[in-house]
Amino acid sequence: MQSKKATVLAMLNLSHWGVVLLFLLLATDVGFIALHLIHAHTSLLTLDKMIPASVFSLETDRGYAELFQYIKQYWIVLLLGLFALRNRSLLYLSWSLLFAFLLLDDAAELHEKLGFSIGQKFAFGSLFGLRPTDFGELCVAATAGVCFFAAIATTHRRSDRAARKVSKTLAMLLLALVFFGIGIDMLHVVLMFTSLNSLLIVLEDGGELIVMSIITSFVLSQALLRKAETLVPARELVRPF
């Protein structure tokens, strides 16, 4: 178990402050998951008529957990954008635009709205418990994925070794995000009216929260490590004989 943990940390290459941030973000994620469970199974959070208890649910659009997710995505966009400017890197710019799209998609519910329109326009039928809207959403996700994959793959080959290493780690973390955000989401649709519904909500939305926290910590760590690398030569230049 310890060796697996060490392998994961080595892959992420987190700085000291990256580890601290990861701990704080994960602790907050666990707190939101706990609040969701309390809301779902008790009435303890029905404290104020001005604040609906549904804001504590992981499922609620623009609920507390989702707003926290927006903040993490915004930080990722800014940090990767700064990487792109500092290094004049189209690869970092591509990743920044991808996370900007994810933020816009979550905040404006783009894939839900476009998915509904596509499902209605092409008259998709229901299959395996998935609705026409679900197939429309899959089309939107696939189209966006192909576009960003093409941009990242093209710029990846033209980037330096350090940028390619960061890109590979981001790609693995993105796959984990897709697993929870699309894979578990579709499974949740199929099994929504079963006893697994509550578990799948936590797996889907809680999994997304945790993966996004890892991505945020990883990106911040890369910023701090690159800053440290530029400071070391400068210190050596003024080192006394």
Side-chain angles (χ1 to χ4, degrees), residues 48-107:
D48 192 335
K49 293 182 179 179
M50 299 296 294
I51 303 176
S54 60
V55 297
F56 296 104
S57 173
L58 294 176
E59 286 190 295
T60 301
D61 292 329
R62 296 176 184 82
Y64 291 151
E66 187 164 294
L67 291 176
F68 182 55
Q69 191 81 323
Y70 294 166
I71 293 171
K72 288 184 283 186
Q73 290 172 317
Y74 180 61
W75 289 349
I76 293 169
V77 171
L78 289 181
L79 288 169
L80 289 172
L82 289 173
F83 279 3
L85 288 174
R86 183 183 299 171
N87 299 282
R88 297 181 180 179
S89 170
L90 291 177
L91 179 57
Y92 286 134
L93 178 61
S94 298
W95 278 108
S96 179
L97 291 175
L98 186 152
F99 281 99
F101 171 78
L102 292 180
L103 173 58
L104 179 62
D105 178 50
D106 284 343

Side-chain angles (χ1 to χ4, degrees), residues 111 137 179-190 204 208:
H111 73 277
E137 290 180 12
F179 171 76
F180 290 107
I182 297 180
I184 300 297
D185 180 37
M186 292 297 108
L187 183 62
H188 181 209
V189 171
V190 174
E204 177 192 343
E208 287 185 44

